[in-house]
Amino acid sequence: IESKTYFNSSNYSKIEENIGVDISGTKYDAARKALGSPHRMPTQAEFEELKNNCRFIEAIYKNTDGYLVIGKNENAIFLPKAGCKDVDKLESGIYYWTSTTHENWGYSFAIGLKREYLYDDKYYLTLNAISCSTGVPIRPVQ
């Protein structure tokens, strides 16, 4: 629930603690801690809904690369390609935390929205397990 300059399992304070299946709105929710209620981290189901029901268009907004995410009602949000940080290596692309832990790997991994390559050099968005000790941005919701 705090930012760091170096990310690994040795400085992740909850590595041995079971913090639950979904931390959205709990004391472990970084968005809630930083911004207060009613802000919270989105759940895996909410990101699945976004991924499956919206158009993702690569765009530049205020000199920042990212995706314009447009819903069926034509409302839109912008998700910057903020990347993630593991130990001291910065990975480029679009990564965002959900509040849901991975069902098979337990509390040491969370689900994140991630951009990946297909064999034909095209991108697609997936929800994948990402180690909780990795530095990944959060897009708060209400």
Side-chain angles (χ1 to χ4, degrees), residues 16-128:
E16 298 296 327
E17 185 178 338
N18 185 342
I19 61 174
V21 173
D22 195 311
I23 61 168
S24 185
T26 71
K27 68 180 182 178
Y28 301 110
D29 185 324
R32 172 78 36 104
K33 181 175 182 192
L35 301 171
S37 182
H39 297 92
R40 62 178 177 78
M41 293 173 66
T43 65
Q44 177 182 350
E46 289 168 330
F47 258 115
E48 289 277 2
E49 182 179 358
L50 192 75
K51 184 174 93 60
N52 295 331
N53 297 313
C54 296
R55 296 186 322 255
F56 284 72
I57 300 170
E58 286 197 70
I60 297 173
Y61 178 71
K62 295 185 178 180
N63 294 321
T64 301
D65 288 335
Y67 285 92
L68 186 62
V69 183
I70 304 169
K72 290 179 181 179
N73 62 2
E74 296 303 313
N75 286 344
I77 61 172
F78 180 75
L79 294 177
K81 293 178 187 175
C84 71
K85 194 168 186 183
D86 189 10
V87 187
D88 58 356
K89 182 180 176 187
L90 183 63
E91 299 283 338
S92 64
I94 181 170
Y95 293 84
Y96 286 94
W97 278 130
T98 75
S99 61
T100 310
T101 58
H102 191 278
E103 63 187 62
N104 295 324
W105 294 349
Y107 57 88
S108 64
F109 286 83
I111 304 296
L113 182 67
K114 182 178 176 182
R115 185 176 80 161
E116 295 189 351
Y117 287 101
L118 283 170
Y119 64 90
D120 58 0
D121 292 332
K122 292 184 181 175
Y123 293 109
Y124 67 105
L125 295 169
T126 62
L127 288 166
N128 287 338

